[in-house]
Each structure stands twice: as structure tokens, then as C-alpha cells.
């Protein structure tokens, strides 16, 4: 069963969806994520940033590599996260 978020531009739909996906992952749920307006790289960086409580969506300057690796493993290492790569189409 899928869920849809509809609202005007700039309201925060993507942020709300990423926060929900992160919460589901922390609960051990499987998450399939299709973000047609951003790349898989940006989606994954955003989810890891939520885990770290740091804004790493665009820049990863001054981010500890060990902390980043640990956060990545908690988010994506469980095998419960599935990201759809739309190849920019």
C-alpha cells in the first residue's frame, strides 16, 4: 500500500517524506523510496543527515568520516532501504 503527499511547492513534502522514511527504518520497517525530483545520492545523503542530525544534503565538509560511516550503516546497512534510481528521467 502506498501513501501520497500532496501540497504546494516549497511546503516541505520531501522533508516530511524523508523524516517518515527515517522513522520507519528506525522501527525496523522496510522502506521503498521513489523521489522523482531528486537523485538517489541526495535522498541517501538526506537520510544519513537526519540520522546524524546534521545537514549533509549538499555539503559534507567538516563531517567526521567514522561518524558518517556509522550513520550510513544504521540507515542503509540493514537492507531495509530500497531507493528507486530514475536516471534523471
Amino acid at each position: 500500500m502506498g501513501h501520497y503527499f500532496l501540497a504546494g511547492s516549497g511546503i516541505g513534502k520531501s522533508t516530511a517524506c524523508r523524516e517518515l522514511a527515517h522513522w520507519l527504518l528506525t522501527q525496523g520497517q522496510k522502506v521503498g523510496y521513489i523521489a522523482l525530483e531528486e537523485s538517489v545520492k541526495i535522498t541517501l545523503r538526506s537520510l544519513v543527515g537526519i540520522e546524524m542530525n546534521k545537514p549533509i544534503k549538499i555539503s559534507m565538509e567538516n563531517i567526521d568520516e567514522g561518524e558518517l560511516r556509522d550513520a550510513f550503516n544504521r540507515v542503509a546497512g540493514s537492507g531495509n532501504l530500497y531507493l528507486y534510481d530514475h536516471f534523471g528521467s
Side-chain angles (χ1 to χ4, degrees):
M1 172 195 238
H3 298 279
Y4 304 93
F5 285 82
L6 305 170
S9 179
I11 297 297
K13 298 176 298 292
S14 296
T15 301
C17 288
R18 286 189 296 263
E19 289 282 351
L20 178 59
H22 177 263
W23 180 79
L24 289 168
L25 289 166
T26 65
Q27 303 304 304
Q29 300 294 310
K30 292 185 184 295
V31 174
Y33 200 96
I34 301 171
L36 298 177
E37 295 182 355
E38 65 188 24
S39 69
V40 168
K41 180 179 177 179
I42 295 295
T43 302
L44 187 55
R45 276 189 179 186
S46 297
L47 289 169
V48 172
I50 291 169
E51 178 68 21
M52 296 174 67
N53 200 28
K54 294 182 180 180
I56 64 168
K57 179 178 172 182
I58 305 301
S59 174
M60 292 195 305
E61 291 181 23
N62 302 319
I63 300 294
D64 178 68
E65 189 175 319
E67 183 184 5
L68 180 65
R69 187 181 315 105
D70 291 344
F72 174 86
N73 288 334
R74 287 191 301 272
V75 170
S78 68
N80 287 339
L81 178 62
Y82 303 89
L83 299 176
Y84 176 71
D85 191 353
H86 53 81
F87 306 107
S89 59

